[in-house]
Amino acid sequence: MASSCSRRLLAAALLPWCCAAWALGHLDPPSPPPLVIWHGMGDSCCNPMSMGVIKKMVEKEIPGIYVLSLEIGKNMMEDVENSFFLNVNVQVNMVCQILEKDPKLQQGYNAIGFSQGGQFLRAVAQRCPTPPMMTLISVGGQHQGVFGLPRCPGESSHICDFIRKSLNAGAYSKLVQERTLEAEAAGSLSLRPPCSP
């Protein structure tokens, strides 16, 4: 469950955009801009223990907000599987189409991505300008890449060096790039051409 402090932090991060139109002279308080959420690897849009809690928390803290938690697939299980295995560029194109067809997002939206969801939303912002993404908050996204083998004991370990060299040799092979999302995202996400409108 999210703590009271994290709820306040999230509300404080989104509040300036909710109040900007009102400050510019609108008489009625504005409705808050919509929020799009993209989960991380191994999670699902609607998991009641993770993204489902985040969605409900935002809706409770910001009354009247429209929250779209992205599901990549037909159900939660397919969403989880796709977070590991579906080509990242296919996912980004799918999301661009989902966002473009959603009438509640046409004036723009804010976005929060968790882990790889943050990196993928960055691709959406760069590739698909309609509807416009106003703000991207990335929580734990690996925008500067990932290096090495986490928690391997030291740079001078021969075993760690062997594992690092093996990972480096394999991660950029065509077979691994085409079949594992993690290698593809780390190696080629930013090199793909933008999606067409």
Side-chain angles (χ1 to χ4, degrees):
M1 222 37 195
S3 71
S4 176
C5 181
S6 62
R7 279 187 243 140
R8 286 189 200 115
L9 181 61
L10 183 60
L14 295 173
L15 190 59
W17 294 278
C18 297
C19 298
W22 183 77
L24 293 174
H26 291 276
L27 297 177
D28 297 324
S31 60
L35 177 64
V36 173
I37 301 173
W38 199 338
H39 62 82
M41 184 188 323
D43 202 352
S44 169
C45 70
C46 313
N47 183 336
M49 301 301 285
S50 60
M51 291 296 102
V53 172
I54 300 292
K55 182 178 187 293
K56 286 180 183 177
M57 178 188 65
V58 170
E59 290 169 338
K60 181 181 176 190
E61 294 295 321
I62 307 173
I65 191 169
Y66 171 65
V67 180
L68 172 63
S69 188
L70 294 167
E71 182 176 41
I72 310 301
K74 297 180 182 111
N75 55 51
M76 278 179 47
M77 185 53 118
E78 193 172 311
D79 192 19
V80 171
E81 289 172 1
N82 287 338
S83 75
F84 287 106
F85 302 113
L86 185 62
N87 179 288
V88 63
N89 294 293
V90 170
Q91 290 189 55
V92 168
N93 286 336
M94 286 172 64
V95 168
C96 289
Q97 291 173 10
I98 290 168
L99 300 178
E100 192 170 8
K101 291 177 184 175
D102 191 324
K104 295 180 181 177
L105 302 177
Q106 297 313 300
Q107 299 303 311
Y109 62 94
N110 292 317
I112 299 177
F114 295 86
S115 191
Q116 77 179 17
Q119 185 175 5
F120 295 176
L121 280 169
R122 182 175 174 210
V124 168
Q126 291 177 313
R127 296 178 185 187
C128 307
T130 304
M133 183 185 298
M134 298 182 295
T135 302
L136 170 59
I137 298 172
S138 180
V139 180
Q142 61 285 8
H143 296 284
Q144 293 183 334
V146 178
F147 170 77
L149 180 63
R151 295 177 186 73
C152 201
E155 293 291 320
S156 61
S157 168
H158 295 296
I159 294 171
C160 292
D161 287 341
F162 174 75
I163 293 170
R164 281 186 194 100
K165 287 177 184 174
S166 298
L167 288 172
N168 287 341
Y172 295 98
S173 71
K174 184 175 181 178
L175 177 69
V176 173
Q177 285 282 313
E178 290 176 351
R179 293 205 168 46
T180 60
L181 182 77
E182 298 76 30
E184 178 191 4
S188 64
L189 180 62
S190 62
L191 302 177
R192 301 286 191 217
C195 61
S196 56

